[in-house]
Amino acid sequence: MNIAAAAPVRTRGRPQGNPPTRESIVSAARTLFLERGYRRTTVRAVAGAAGVDPALIAYHFGSKKGLFADVMQFQCARALTVDDVLDGDPATLPDRLIDAVTHLWEDADFRRLTAQGDEAADAIREYLEQELLARLVEFLGGRDATARATAVVMILGGLIYTRYLNPLLTPAALTPSEARHVLAPALRAALAPRTRTATTRTAHLSSPTPGRTTLQP
């Protein structure tokens, strides 16, 4: 007597064996976010496009907002790969930083993603702070590394804001190479180690210590 084989049970959550990669889900999500926008893209639609259970998206990304953040992070990482930017002649690091930022923001698809509300702003802010700023601090080293890296990110953030997010006439009219020419000296100054001048050291040494009387000759 033939016994019909039991239908396989579809389990929820992370599949066993060879599960689809995060990258394949992010790729499907990116396409839908570009086509439909953030609000009209559902987790179920992304799961269908990627050929996965919606629970797998929840497992990897937590929510649609988390998935969108990963899409933005992936876009940033493709154009502004920190390792590649930092690896090279230190003298041309300012040029590489500016070129990476303008290359990313000149991409039409990325600009469409950045126009999708607070979720995009949050993702960009997280990338600048947790990836670029943190890596710059590590790369620069020394007790003034945080101040120098912060100055760099503030300059790049100003470029992003005045040229792309809320463009001013003059910055928006510049070509990427012109923007590099204008901003590279400021970045070079921001990256330079902070040195205490002789005047500062002399003033510090000659300042009276609190509670101590200064004797006059």
Side-chain angles (χ1 to χ4, degrees):
M1 181 175 64
N2 294 330
I3 301 176
V9 178
R10 186 182 185 188
T11 58
R12 297 182 64 82
R14 188 177 187 180
Q16 301 298 315
N18 185 26
T21 63
R22 288 172 59 98
E23 288 76 13
S24 65
I25 298 173
V26 168
S27 178
R30 176 182 178 276
T31 299
L32 290 179
F33 284 135
L34 286 171
E35 290 177 354
R36 305 180 183 181
Y38 178 82
R39 299 192 183 282
R40 293 194 297 118
T41 298
T42 65
V43 169
R44 187 171 295 278
V46 174
V52 302
D53 191 297
L56 185 62
I57 295 179
Y59 177 87
H60 280 306
F61 307 98
S63 64
K64 183 172 79 169
K65 183 176 181 179
L67 176 58
F68 182 78
D70 261 55
V71 170
M72 293 293 294
Q73 297 277 341
F74 178 73
Q75 288 291 108
C76 289
R78 280 206 315 178
L80 209 167
T81 305
V82 178
D83 287 338
D84 291 343
V85 172
L86 297 181
D87 184 21
D89 184 357
T92 57
L93 176 57
D95 303 277
R96 294 196 300 276
L97 284 166
I98 296 169
D99 286 345
V101 169
T102 55
H103 176 71
L104 172 65
W105 284 83
E106 293 293 328
D107 180 77
D109 286 346
F110 183 75
R111 297 277 291 279
R112 287 168 61 193
L113 288 173
T114 62
Q116 299 189 26
D118 293 340
E119 291 79 13
D122 290 343
I124 295 168
R125 182 166 50 248
E126 180 180 347
Y127 186 84
L128 288 175
E129 183 171 2
Q130 297 186 6
E131 179 65 13
L132 182 57
L133 178 60
R135 294 294 305 281
L136 274 172
V137 171
E138 180 183 359
F139 173 77
L140 294 172
R143 65 179 183 178
D144 63 350
T146 298
R148 294 158 63 195
T150 299
V152 169
V153 172
M154 290 179 69
I155 293 170
L156 295 177
L159 168 64
I160 292 168
Y161 184 78
T162 60
R163 182 174 169 81
Y164 301 106
L165 292 180
N166 190 20
L168 301 180
L169 183 61
T170 301
L174 298 175
T175 66
S177 62
E178 289 170 338
R180 185 199 320 125
H181 178 74
V182 169
L183 289 179
L187 276 183
R188 195 165 290 111
L191 286 164
R194 311 291 174 85
T195 58
R196 297 173 64 186
T197 64
T199 302
T200 302
R201 289 195 297 270
T202 302
H204 175 75
L205 292 174
S206 63
S207 298
T209 303
R212 178 183 300 173
T213 302
T214 301
L215 298 180
Q216 299 295 329

